[in-house]
Amino acid sequence: MEKMWAGRTAGQTSALADDFNSSIHIDSCMYKEDIKGSMAHAAMLSQVGILTGEEADRIIAALEQIALDIESGALPIDMNAEDIHMFVESVLTKRIGDLGKKLHTARSRNDQVAVDIRLYMRGKCEEIQALLLDLIDAIVSVADAHQLDIMPGYTHLQRAQPIVFAHHLLAYAEMFRRDLTRVEDAKARMNVSPLGACALAGTTYPISRSMTSKALGFDGYATNSIDAVSDRDFCVELLSCFSIIMMHLSRFSEEVILWTSWEFAYVELDDAYTTGSSIMPQKKNSDMAELVRGKTGRVYGDLMGTLTMLKGLPLAYNKDMQEDKESLFDATETVSRCLEIFAPMIRTMKVKSENMYRAAQRGFINATDLADYLTKRGMPFRTAYKTVGSIVSDCIAAGKVLEDLSLEAYKAYSELFDQDLYEEISLKTCVSKRISEGATGFASVEKQIKDFKIFLNEKKG
Ligand code: ARG
């Protein structure tokens, strides 16, 4: 195949080199963005008098047709092409002759590819944001139904204090809400146009960068042409956002996996999101959650790969940068698929509240409340802490829980104990008395759910 860039060399590369050099397998997905960028470029070229209006119209019409033909399948993308930019341009030239060769005036593939990735990722970010919203919606709906369900809250994976299940779930909703804003911020920083930076130094043609930037929905254009074609910060930033989303999904997955084990039995996933074993008939495995946890490593790898690929590069464009799309698109696809499966998996899971409650009854998770009881009656907290510590230790030795001890037994530890201590350490009281803002108290959780519903409505509206 004749190379469009044959010039200094005759462009006679080995088939192996052609294949190695090609990025069509990864960048063909950006054909729409590539064509959109070219249309805006052609329109601008005619506005500033570099092309005639008629020339631009013909180029734009042909580009539009190419997009339609690729979309319909009438024009299959040639997987032997060097990249999507070369493919589109070569089809254009084939279809409208020499006029097609004018399109690349005052442009380089360096600014072209930088535009395409930004446009493409703008759309992908929106898709990921919608998936995040749907996941938050799923979490809030389960939380809403389990506002009163008491479970042990953990630190060090040891039973710590009673909480409600909704509160635990809403912690994840908060994480995904932050992820949503993080993607929004990254998207805003990415939304500047590199078009017109050309190879690196700008151009001698009287182009208008603001015109193309506006036509393509950018907030402005990159102000330094060398930076415009060298900058891949936005890829790193998006990959960081995606890595954080995966980290959150992975932590959630880990809990789902624990909760679905016989040891916890806090939830049961719908059959639609589980698998069986090929040998053990009793198995119901949380494969989706495990896969999400596993794929997290892959997205971190994409981030690390990109950071490492960029770290030694001199300005401006280097071919190393073609690797950016391998990692970025892989991470984009992975995070999307994980979010897509996670939301319905959470929405349909069955919560076994009675098991959670039973777990909350063991493990002395009301010990802090017992210490607070003494403190409120005048004992310094550190002393109360020690007193309750020895009560717990004696209970463990006797195979009892705090509720089992008689008032008489309590009085032996401190005269401050009275009959009302039992009410004070009931799990329900422990939860409902946690009234500080953002706490696990029933009213606080109800408010958190209400706020999330308002948030979701605003976002959907
Ligand atoms: N396929 C290339 C990439 O993705 C397009 C830019 C090529 N530029 C160049 N100077 N060879 O990076």
Side-chain angles (χ1 to χ4, degrees):
M1 199 191 302
E2 210 211 309
K3 302 289 184 308
M4 237 178 279
W5 43 257
R8 172 178 169 172
T9 75
Q12 302 291 338
T13 43
S14 83
L16 212 55
D18 281 345
D19 188 47
F20 190 69
N21 195 40
S22 167
S23 57
I24 192 85
H25 62 281
I26 192 78
D27 58 30
S28 61
C29 59
M30 305 193 297
Y31 76 88
K32 275 190 197 144
E33 289 73 18
D34 190 71
I35 290 172
K36 225 172 125 188
S38 289
M39 284 165 60
H41 180 65
M44 180 277 292
L45 289 180
S46 86
Q47 292 281 317
V48 300
I50 299 171
L51 289 179
T52 67
E54 197 246 317
E55 284 175 328
D57 288 349
R58 280 180 55 209
I59 290 176
I60 290 169
L63 284 169
E64 240 164 21
Q65 194 55 47
I66 292 173
L68 289 174
D69 291 350
I70 296 177
E71 179 106 59
S72 72
L75 173 63
I77 293 177
D78 177 6
M79 284 299 153
N80 292 312
E82 188 175 320
D83 55 31
I84 191 62
H85 327 291
M86 290 303 206
F87 173 72
V88 171
E89 200 182 323
S90 70
V91 175
L92 180 73
T93 305
K94 234 177 268 156
R95 290 188 177 184
I96 62 170
D98 277 354
L99 176 58
K101 297 183 185 168
K102 289 193 174 182
L103 172 66
H104 212 50
T105 313
R107 189 177 71 167
S108 151
R109 261 189 304 162
N110 297 350
D111 54 346
Q112 194 177 352
V113 69
V115 170
D116 292 4
I117 309 174
R118 286 165 195 254
L119 290 179
Y120 181 75
M121 287 312 297
R122 197 161 73 191
K124 287 288 164 190
C125 282
E126 277 153 22
E127 283 174 34
I128 288 173
Q129 288 180 301
L131 289 167
L132 279 168
L133 266 184
D134 188 46
L135 177 56
I136 297 172
D137 185 82
I139 296 171
V140 172
S141 73
V142 181
D144 197 9
H146 297 281
Q147 290 184 46
L148 304 178
D149 298 353
I150 294 173
M151 70 181 282
Y154 296 83
T155 63
H156 313 271
L157 201 58
Q158 304 284 335
R159 292 175 196 172
Q161 290 181 346
I163 57 170
V164 287
F165 186 49
H167 194 211
H168 193 106
L169 287 176
L170 289 175
Y172 285 104
E174 295 288 359
M175 296 176 219
F176 295 120
R177 176 156 62 177
R178 282 196 298 277
D179 290 337
L180 195 78
T181 61
R182 234 184 305 270
V183 173
E184 189 66 34
D185 293 348
K187 198 172 67 174
R189 241 182 314 278
M190 169 175 76
N191 205 30
V192 289
S193 172
L195 196 56
C198 302
L200 79 159
T203 178
T204 53
Y205 290 98
I207 59 167
S208 166
R209 292 191 60 199
S210 48
M211 208 176 274
T212 44
S213 137
K214 213 177 194 175
L216 293 170
F218 286 109
D219 296 323
Y221 57 81
T223 45
N224 178 311
S225 65
I226 299 175
D227 177 51
V229 288
S230 315
D231 165 32
R232 291 295 184 274
D233 296 7
F234 70 96
C235 301
V236 174
E237 202 175 344
L238 289 174
L239 284 162
S240 310
C241 294
F242 299 163
S243 295
I244 297 174
I245 296 174
M246 290 304 297
M247 181 263 290
H248 290 152
L249 284 174
S250 188
R251 293 182 77 172
F252 204 170
S253 294
E254 173 65 15
E255 297 219 76
V256 168
I257 294 160
L258 286 173
W259 291 341
T260 52
S261 71
W262 280 104
E263 283 69 15
F264 279 79
Y266 287 178
V267 302
E268 183 173 348
L269 294 179
D270 191 273
D271 290 359
Y273 303 100
T274 59
T275 60
S277 151
S278 57
I279 173 174
M280 297 165 281
Q282 84 284 11
K283 291 300 284 288
K284 180 166 174 178
N285 297 329
S286 308
D287 283 24
M288 310 308 136
E290 289 172 34
L291 269 172
V292 169
R293 189 177 58 184
K295 285 177 190 291
T296 303
R298 175 177 170 159
V299 174
Y300 289 2
D302 289 330
L303 169 63
M304 282 306 140
T306 304
L307 280 169
T308 313
M309 178 273 284
L310 288 168
K311 85 182 237 305
L313 292 190
L315 302 179
Y317 178 84
N318 298 272
K319 192 67 173 228
D320 315 46
M321 288 156 81
Q322 180 164 284
E323 288 292 309
D324 57 5
K325 288 170 287 302
E326 303 272 356
S327 316
L328 185 57
F329 295 176
D330 178 68
T332 305
E333 166 84 0
T334 307
V335 78
S336 300
R337 291 182 64 204
C338 291
L339 287 167
E340 198 173 39
I341 192 103
F342 222 82
M345 183 182 82
I346 294 301
R347 201 175 262 120
T348 56
M349 73 186 181
K350 198 170 119 214
V351 180
K352 298 172 165 176
S353 319
E354 61 296 345
N355 292 345
M356 291 181 177
Y357 191 75
R358 207 168 303 129
Q361 287 173 315
R362 319 270 334 158
F364 301 95
I365 63 178
N366 45 4
T368 314
D369 297 83
L370 192 61
D372 285 345
Y373 175 90
L374 290 174
T375 312
K376 282 174 191 160
R377 275 153 190 78
M379 192 182 278
F381 181 75
R382 281 289 156 223
T383 318
Y385 174 94
K386 279 229 157 65
T387 308
V388 175
S390 34
I391 299 175
V392 168
S393 149
D394 294 346
C395 278
I396 292 171
K400 292 183 170 171
V401 294
L402 296 178
E403 290 83 344
D404 296 339
L405 293 190
S406 66
L407 184 56
E408 212 184 346
Y410 271 113
K411 286 223 184 263
Y413 291 98
S414 164
E415 273 304 321
L416 293 172
F417 281 123
D418 220 329
Q419 189 58 38
D420 59 351
L421 82 90
Y422 296 101
E423 170 55 22
E424 199 67 9
I425 62 170
S426 91
L427 293 178
K428 207 167 162 201
T429 312
C430 295
V431 169
S432 57
K433 283 213 160 168
R434 286 199 161 62
I435 50 166
S436 52
E437 294 100 326
T440 206
F442 300 112
S444 157
V445 169
E446 195 182 356
K447 181 181 175 329
Q448 292 175 48
I449 290 175
K450 208 171 127 216
D451 290 349
F452 260 112
K453 283 186 180 167
I454 294 170
F455 165 79
L456 284 167
N457 274 337
E458 270 168 13
K459 287 285 168 190
K460 281 183 206 152

